Amino acid sequence: QRGIASCMDVGIDTCTGESSAQSMTSSATSNDWHHDLSRREALSKGFVLGGSWIATALSLPAPSHADTASLPSPSSVAAPLLSNYNPSDYTTLPSYGRTVFPPPFLPPLNNRATYRYSLGRNAWALEQLIAFANVTATIRTNVIKLDEGLWVCGPLWPTDEYCALLDELGSVAYVVLPTNALEHKAAMKQFLLKYPNAEVWISPGQYGPFGECGVVNEDMDERQVDTITRNAAKMMGYRVDGILPLREQPGSALKGKEPKPKNMFPSWAGAFDTEVLCVDLPGNAGPVSECAFVHKSSKTLVVTDAVICVPSVSTTVTRANSSTLQFPIQPIFSSYFDQATISDPTFWPRTVLQAVFLPLRTEPSKSEMTIYPGYDALANRLVRAPILRAFADARAPESVKNWVNRISDLTAFDRIITAHFASPINAGRDLFTKAFAHLDQGMEMDELSSSLPPIACQDWKTLNSLNDFIDDNKLGAPVIYDFRRGCLED
């Protein structure tokens, strides 16, 4: 993985085995897992830098069933952000097997659990865990059923369990690699060995084991597109049918001639609106990209790392309760941690803060509950992940802002599904744009503070120090924008 910050939740999952031989659905009381007790000690040691994130930021190479739910009524659109999120309603198939060979570059190496969730509107998420040092997070493949088959965005490690859960939904017709963040691209080759007939499209600026793929612009002709695509397949080491194209100049009118070459766009282009972010700055090792998709018929925005929504978790809650904004912890964590660790009230806040690179700062409380201000600032909000504000937005603010504005101009959407934390999220254009308010230089500070998560200025210290280190040692493109805008003064 190369370039400025392009990933959000890097982690390592070394889940150690599920002995159940049958499918488990909504099994909140199942104890069929073996647990890794040593991870509890790792959590207690506080903040440890995630290698793939930092390698990306420093510009260094990182280690190499149909659902027929109807569209919501206007009244339901105004519901709380996570009113349709239910982490207790899942399906697993552990008896199929949770290993893959060659093993993943990050744990879990021997027992990688997959949990499937219905997102409604003919969409599903297949969830696994990733972890690094004391950072552990969920990561998801998002799947949408089209008339021709399944549209699979961001494939994960294809264990037999993962493939069985996917195959139950239908046949895989299309595969999309939506970003060049390492944790989202690492499993592509092995996944495509399982689904060799799928049409494969990748985001621009990918860097494979044999070199860089380049980009496709909408003003190119058929021959140019074909040459770049053929080269991309050689560089990546697997089938590539196309590279999602860039506008000639982000935010401006296309200057290419009509009609566009047929090989410039995927077969599924009619079902989605697509906007591509690709940033290639001097001083970085290569471009960084992320693609956003609006599935027009379901009014769903599909992103990878652009935004997140961290659910507020209570260890005493066993069922989702959106009216009180309390949820049980995502059950997949039980495939990796022992119950005592998960039951610790500080487990989830610490897990969140370590995943987004905010410090584990606490404040005094009159009760026995430990208060983490950074976690409270993020919970139950649609936000831009702090690590991306610090590493991506700080270096390419105009490119990111233009991308956000272009997404807002696409077909209207009323919900968002992401690759991390909670989905689906009841949010449309206004809330999506608001998550990037720190990039609006014309916004008054009072309005800015009310638009952004109330992160204390002191809680940006770690990320600010990392940026200083990068700048001082000329390890990447320089910071040109104050990503902390709108923070709360001490």
Side-chain angles (χ1 to χ4, degrees), residues 122-142:
N122 276 333
W124 296 263
L126 274 65
E127 183 175 82
Q128 294 182 355
L129 282 177
I130 52 174
F132 186 88
N134 66 339
V135 177
T136 306
T138 56
I139 183 170
R140 289 182 163 194
T141 297
N142 287 309

Side-chain angles (χ1 to χ4, degrees), residues 42 53 58 76 80 142 180 188 199 248 263 349 358 372 385 451 479:
W53 273 342
L58 300 181
S76 67
N142 287 309
N180 56 11
M188 272 289 286
E199 181 181 317
E248 177 59 24
N263 62 348
L358 290 183
Y372 292 90
S451 299
V479 171

